[in-house]
Amino acid sequence: MGVRAEQRERTRRALLDEAERLFARDGYGAVGLPAVVAGAGVTKGALYHQFDGKAGLFAAVLERVQERVAGRVVAAARGYPDDPWQQLLAGCRAFIEASTGPAAARIMLVDGPAVLGWPAWRDLDEQTSGRHLAAALRTLVEHGDLAPQPVEPLARLLSGAMNELAMWLAGPGTTAADRNAAQAALERTLAGLRSG
């Protein structure tokens, strides 16, 4: 990588880091680009060289947050290399944990659908955590842990339920007891799908 490419990458990373911090703290609507460029220590021209404005910057931040959550899902599932069912459970637990932190929840679950619009947000969700969920379900059908069935409707059903559960857990007033009850409800729901 050349010097200019390295500088562009540093600038991009600084903008993403600062934008993520501000979007998580204040929400999309309250963040102005002057605050982002000042916090990142770059010019407004550098921002526009990297992104096509605030919405484009937010989309890049959201993608980064979604990829981070998906990475935690994959890492949790890897802990059970020979047990596809435990991989699913661990991945679902990791999704709930990773997506309900205040920063991830604000960016991913609250502002994400509002800023990008539901179809674009849904596409991004499917490319990250949704893709891993569908793959896990396909494996479970192939191994006989789930009855033979089309995977796409089941993946969408579970993804929607987990996103809704995460939004509730990330909201004000939820407790550790709520989190434990939510995880137990999710595991009971998944157990109800299991063959045999």
Side-chain angles (χ1 to χ4, degrees):
M1 184 181 290
V3 173
R4 293 191 87 167
E6 287 176 12
Q7 179 60 39
R8 277 194 303 274
E9 183 54 34
R10 275 195 304 276
T11 299
R12 181 178 179 80
R13 198 169 33 253
L15 286 164
L16 288 171
D17 289 346
E18 184 62 13
E20 183 175 341
R21 185 183 76 75
L22 292 173
F23 289 142
R25 187 188 74 192
D26 302 332
Y28 178 82
V31 173
L33 292 181
V36 175
V37 297
V42 301
T43 66
K44 203 168 193 180
L47 182 141
Y48 282 107
H49 184 72
Q50 298 276 347
F51 304 101
D52 63 354
K54 184 176 169 182
L57 176 61
F58 179 82
V61 167
L62 173 60
E63 183 174 356
R64 189 164 84 156
V65 170
Q66 288 270 35
E67 287 172 355
R68 193 178 305 134
V69 169
R72 288 191 50 194
V73 167
V74 169
R78 281 191 186 129
Y80 301 92
D82 300 321
D83 190 337
W85 186 257
Q86 288 302 318
Q87 288 177 354
L88 175 68
L89 293 178
C92 290
R93 279 188 220 106
F95 174 82
I96 295 296
E97 287 299 318
S99 63
T100 56
R106 178 73 181 251
I107 291 168
M108 193 170 95
L109 302 173
V110 176
D111 287 344
V115 174
L116 265 62
W118 183 252
W121 181 88
R122 190 73 196 109
D123 286 346
L124 182 57
D125 187 55
E126 284 180 27
Q127 292 167 23
T128 52
S129 298
R131 174 172 58 92
H132 298 298
L133 177 60
L137 294 172
R138 266 192 291 290
T139 298
L140 290 169
V141 168
E142 290 165 7
H143 285 206
D145 287 307
L146 292 177
Q149 61 188 292
V151 168
E152 186 171 345
L154 182 58
R156 289 177 183 269
L157 175 73
L158 292 175
S159 178
M162 285 190 290
N163 281 324
E164 182 62 30
L165 190 60
M167 284 196 306
W168 174 65
L169 288 172
T174 54
T175 64
D178 292 329
R179 185 171 292 281
N180 292 337
Q183 290 285 8
L186 176 59
E187 290 183 22
R188 281 192 305 273
T189 299
L190 294 172
L193 299 171
R194 195 169 189 185
S195 297

